[in-house]
Amino acid sequence: SAVISQKPSRDICQRGTSLTIQCQVDSQVTMMFWYRQQPGQSLTLIATANQGSEATYESGFVIDKFPISRPNLTFSTLTVSNMSPEDSSIYLCSVEGQKNTGELFFGEGSRLTVL
Amino acid sequence: GENVEQHPSTLSVQEGDSAVIKCTYSDSASNYFPWYKQELGKRPQLIIDIRSNVGEKKDQRIAVTLNKTAKHFSLHITETQPEDSAVYFCAPQGSTGNQFYFGTGTSLTVIP
């Protein structure tokens, strides 16, 4: 298993500002995944973050809007830049379990509200 | 990314009845097929999974069946209980093994 701490758990932000979400894992992992979950919707993969290389973004997500850092094997950040109300969502980080069985473990999520 | 759809999107059953949720996917190279349960306000958690060399797997009241030829797999819950009420997501693993795309989700309500 993996224990993931995410912060902030929630925040209210003003339009045009940026917010950085932090994700800390209790073990070293190769890949960390960032998801967005809009109210009542499924989880949409934003990007995959590998240590020592640029994150891989999914279609519809760009680095300028969602810059990601991955300074080591236990930590990653996702920044939501120049926020608008449409960015109001829950953002979740996730990792695959230690044995690479395919099971994903999630942080508790960061609920962002943009006014 | 992979196209993943679930049916139905919402499902209401009487306590004690069975529930079946189907997941269809597009990537024929997918080889890992999990189901996640997300209770209101909580993070998703794996409840059962299956690999492509197996057709069916059961764990107490829940089971998963896989039809690789038709590219779909299903979650079966028997003797449903109110605590089974949640949103269920399938998330077949992409062919590279590095992506996990979630299905559209099914909201299950078990009526006491």
Side-chain angles (χ1 to χ4, degrees), chain B:
Chain B
E2 174 155 34
N3 248 356
V4 185
E5 292 189 358
Q6 286 178 231
H7 295 280
S9 57
T10 60
L11 181 59
S12 291
V13 299
Q14 291 290 331
E15 182 176 357
D17 288 351
S18 296
V20 181
I21 304 169
K22 183 176 179 179
C23 177
T24 59
Y25 59 94
S26 60
D27 187 347
S28 57
S30 295
N31 57 13
Y32 175 67
F33 308 92
W35 284 96
Y36 289 83
K37 176 183 181 181
Q38 187 177 31
E39 296 177 5
L40 189 63
K42 298 194 174 178
R43 71 194 85 183
Q45 290 191 301
L46 180 76
I47 54 170
I48 196 167
D49 56 12
I50 195 169
R51 300 198 180 271
S52 57
N53 57 342
V54 178
E56 181 173 356
K57 181 177 177 182
K58 194 172 182 180
D59 183 3
Q60 299 183 353
R61 295 188 298 108
I62 59 173
V64 55
T65 57
L66 171 65
N67 185 331
K68 276 213 80 178
T69 305
K71 291 190 281 188
H72 64 74
F73 61 113
S74 297
L75 174 69
H76 304 256
I77 307 174
T78 59
E79 301 170 36
T80 53
Q81 301 167 4
E83 50 265 39
D84 294 328
S85 296
V87 180
Y88 292 83
F89 295 100
C90 59
Q93 189 172 17
S95 54
T96 66
N98 295 336
Q99 295 97 13
F100 299 85
Y101 300 108
F102 280 71
T104 45
T106 298
S107 177
L108 173 65
T109 302
V110 180
I111 304 166

Side-chain angles (χ1 to χ4, degrees), chain A residues 35 37 42 58 101 104 106, chain B residues 36 38 43 51 100-101 103:
Chain A
Y35 286 89
Q37 187 172 31
S42 182
E58 296 296 311
T101 58
L104 292 180
F106 289 87
Chain B
Y36 289 83
Q38 187 177 31
R43 71 194 85 183
R51 300 198 180 271
F100 299 85
Y101 300 108

Side-chain angles (χ1 to χ4, degrees), chain A residues 84-113:
Chain A
S84 66
E86 293 73 38
D87 294 320
S88 297
S89 190
I90 297 173
Y91 293 84
L92 297 124
C93 73
S94 176
V95 303
E96 194 177 354
Q98 276 289 295
K99 295 181 180 178
N100 290 329
T101 58
E103 178 178 2
L104 292 180
F105 296 89
F106 289 87
E108 57 268 38
S110 299
R111 181 185 293 271
L112 303 188
T113 302

